[in-house]
Amino acid sequence: MKTYWTTWAILLVLTVVMLWADAAAIPRPAFVVFMLAAMATKASMIAANFMHLRLERAGIILTVIVGLPVVATLLYVLIAPDAARIHQMMAAALR
Amino acid sequence: MAQAAQQAADRWSGGVCPFDAGWRKVMMWWFIVTDGLLFAGFLASYGYARLLSFDWPDQASVFSLRYIAAMTFVLITSSATMATAVHAAREGRMRAAGTFVLATVAGGAIFLGMQAFEWRTLIAEGARLAVNPWGDRAFGAFFFLLTGFHGSHVLTGVIILAVTAIRAARGLSKPDGIEMAGLYWHFVDLVWVFIFTLFYLL
């Protein structure tokens, strides 16, 4: 029971820190890295502690923590270069 | 040593229970993974639109981020009450479990109310699926798509949990059923973590 409310407190602190970072004048690359790291930490804590994923067998853990993020990343990485290229073409046409 | 290796091999060779979990839990995890992929597709296409955009609005000027943080607080708290409900159910304290499930339902309902108010405010300011006063028109589309799909999941969760709470009060719920409802609810919270960061903050 203590684990759940400790997780809750950490999630809230992380949310407040993210809001603070949003208001602070942090360079964009550092800001993006920090936000993605905080997001991954929060997601991992919810999955591990609230959903009890850390207590499951390797088959379920691997399907979730490898399968889902890998496919999600691929979805973005495979289309992102196209978006960047079209953005450049549009910028050139506007000049 | 050899026995442990044999056991591990047996787990991966199929057998009666390769995941060492009941079929309902395995099916719920599979549902979570596939539903997670649906949201991953939405968020990837949102990332695509952001890369393409020349005039994506500054979120802090459109939304009250403190209000969105309050919505996040409500959802995270409801996840903690749900986890506590599952814990109580496992210990056989079904009455306490039902009470915590009810608290979770209240959290979900508050979140939905807050989201409805946010939608109403933005619509009053001129936001639509294809138009908005803040620049790139994809902004409105992705706002309604992402928060709408997430909101529909919250609504589904609230209904499932309300039924679970009623069943628990009548002594019909089993710890397994409460755990499955909890897994779904935490998934809804998990998705919000991504939407909150990627759509509202980045």
Side-chain angles (χ1 to χ4, degrees):
Chain A
M1 188 104 90
K2 192 181 165 193
T3 311
Y4 303 136
W5 292 97
T6 309
T7 304
W8 170 80
I10 295 170
L11 290 172
L12 286 187
V13 169
L14 275 173
T15 304
V16 171
V17 173
M18 287 166 89
L19 271 188
W20 169 82
D22 188 63
I26 300 172
R28 184 74 184 167
F31 174 74
V32 171
V33 170
F34 170 74
M35 285 295 177
L36 294 180
M39 179 183 77
T41 307
K42 286 169 77 176
S44 307
M45 292 191 78
I46 291 171
N49 297 336
F50 284 166
M51 301 171 96
H52 305 117
L53 188 60
R54 66 192 165 91
L55 303 176
E56 299 297 346
R57 284 267 178 238
I60 293 181
I61 296 174
L62 290 175
T63 305
V64 177
I65 69 165
V66 177
L68 192 47
V70 165
V71 176
T73 308
L74 275 178
L75 273 174
Y76 181 69
V77 168
L78 290 180
I79 61 173
D82 247 5
R85 188 175 54 83
I86 294 169
H87 182 91
Q88 283 171 358
M89 286 163 61
M90 285 161 63
L94 286 172
R95 266 186 231 126
Chain B
M1 183 80 175
Q3 194 184 359
Q6 184 58 44
Q7 277 176 351
D10 286 347
R11 254 179 235 134
W12 287 98
S13 64
V16 289
C17 201
F19 295 109
D20 208 12
W23 66 269
R24 292 207 294 180
K25 189 192 271 189
V26 174
M27 289 300 107
M28 180 53 85
W29 273 114
W30 272 205
F31 165 75
I32 286 170
V33 168
T34 52
D35 209 27
L37 287 173
L38 173 80
F39 279 101
F42 287 156
L43 288 169
S45 59
Y46 157 71
Y48 187 87
R50 281 293 295 270
L51 274 179
L52 273 177
S53 175
F54 287 98
D55 55 351
W56 197 263
D58 172 25
Q59 295 97 321
S61 65
V62 178
F63 306 108
S64 160
L65 290 180
R66 285 185 180 183
Y67 184 79
I68 308 301
M71 288 169 69
T72 307
F73 168 77
V74 170
L75 209 54
I76 289 173
T77 306
S78 74
S79 239
T81 54
M82 191 65 230
T84 310
V86 172
H87 183 76
R90 277 183 177 173
E91 286 183 342
R93 295 183 290 120
M94 295 307 282
R95 209 180 162 82
T99 308
F100 280 112
V101 172
L102 262 186
T104 311
V105 170
I110 293 170
F111 180 88
L112 280 176
M114 292 176 85
Q115 192 167 62
F117 180 76
E118 188 199 16
W119 271 46
R120 188 167 159 254
T121 308
L122 260 74
I123 289 169
E125 289 175 9
R128 300 287 185 277
L129 268 175
V131 237
N132 66 80
W134 306 286
D136 198 311
R137 63 183 189 172
F139 177 77
F142 278 104
F143 168 74
F144 289 115
L145 177 83
L146 290 170
T147 60
F149 260 87
H150 179 263
S152 69
H153 278 70
V154 177
L155 179 63
T156 308
V158 166
I159 294 168
I160 291 170
L161 291 176
V163 172
T164 306
I166 293 167
R167 285 174 59 84
R170 290 182 178 174
L172 298 170
S173 262
K174 289 181 180 162
D176 246 19
I178 294 178
E179 190 183 356
M180 294 313 109
L183 270 177
Y184 177 81
W185 190 255
H186 298 312
F187 168 68
V188 167
D189 185 22
L190 193 68
V191 169
W192 182 254
V193 166
F194 288 89
I195 293 176
F196 175 65
T197 310
L198 299 175
F199 187 77
Y200 288 99
L201 295 179
L202 276 186

